[in-house]
Each structure stands twice: as C-alpha cells, then as structure tokens.
Amino acid sequence: QVQLVESGGGLVQAGGSLRLSCAASLRPFSSYAMGWFRQAPGKEREFASSITGSGTRRYYADSVKGRFTISRDNAKNTVYLQMNTLKPEDTAVYYCAARYEYDSTWGYWGQGIQVTVSS
C-alpha cells in the first residue's frame, strides 16, 4: 500500500518559515512527480507546487512563487517544501501528492498536515 507521510507543519508567526517533508513509499521514487496542495478553511483544495521525478522542473502557484521552494531527495524518497515569508493567508492543511510521471491525475495523497500562520 502506497504511503505518503507529511511532517513539519505547525504554528508560526507571519514572516517566519517552515519546511514540510513528505516521505513516500513509492518505488522507484524518481518515476513519480510530486506535488504539494493546500486547503484553507472553507475553500477548495488548491495547487501550491510540484516537481518532476528527476527534480529538473519545478512549478509554483502565483500565490507562493518567490516564497516557497520545492525540492526532492530521491535517495531518501522524500520531497520537501520550504516555506519562507509566510503570511496568514498561507494557513491551510497541506497535502503531499504523487502521480506517475506520465499520468495526468494525482493518484496518491497524504493525510495532510496543518500549517497555521498567525498575524
């Protein structure tokens, strides 16, 4: 059974930083694109960032571009989301997701982790 396990969330003041991690049981990990999505209270889940299996291409939502950085360590089967200059509007449950490189659908999801940014 595929598992995606997020860690690193919590409470931080506006302007602060957090780094999320997602450990995946996918094999081979490098064959899967990885992404981060988020869902704020009362809103739909939205895309935040993604990275290709090789790590050579990264994509960001406009709302996080320049503040968030996605990366991966294929030797550790882990993807990261470094979040800097956090804003209260970044408060959300953050989900790790995976899709086989040639699929269009994100087929695997973590359980989500809370990130709260206080003003």
Side-chain angles (χ1 to χ4, degrees), residues 14-105:
S17 298
L18 281 175
R19 188 175 84 153
L20 303 182
S21 300
C22 172
S25 63
L26 298 161
R27 300 287 190 278
F29 185 60
S30 60
S31 293
Y32 291 84
M34 300 297 295
W36 288 96
F37 292 74
R38 65 185 186 180
Q39 187 168 18
K43 295 187 177 181
E44 293 187 352
R45 190 177 299 185
E46 65 176 10
F47 169 81
S49 182
S50 66
I51 187 169
T52 55
S54 62
T56 54
R57 294 187 179 182
R58 309 176 189 195
Y59 304 91
Y60 298 95
D62 288 343
S63 57
V64 308
K65 199 172 294 182
R67 300 187 298 120
F68 291 10
T69 302
I70 191 169
S71 62
R72 64 190 294 158
D73 185 338
N74 285 349
K76 295 183 178 179
N77 281 36
T78 301
V79 63
Y80 306 96
L81 187 66
Q82 177 67 43
M83 306 185 293
N84 297 330
T85 319
L86 282 161
K87 304 175 182 180
E89 50 263 45
D90 294 317
T91 294
V93 176
Y94 283 71
Y95 296 89
C96 176
R99 61 175 175 82
Y100 185 64
E101 197 81 86
Y102 301 103
D103 285 346
S104 58
T105 303

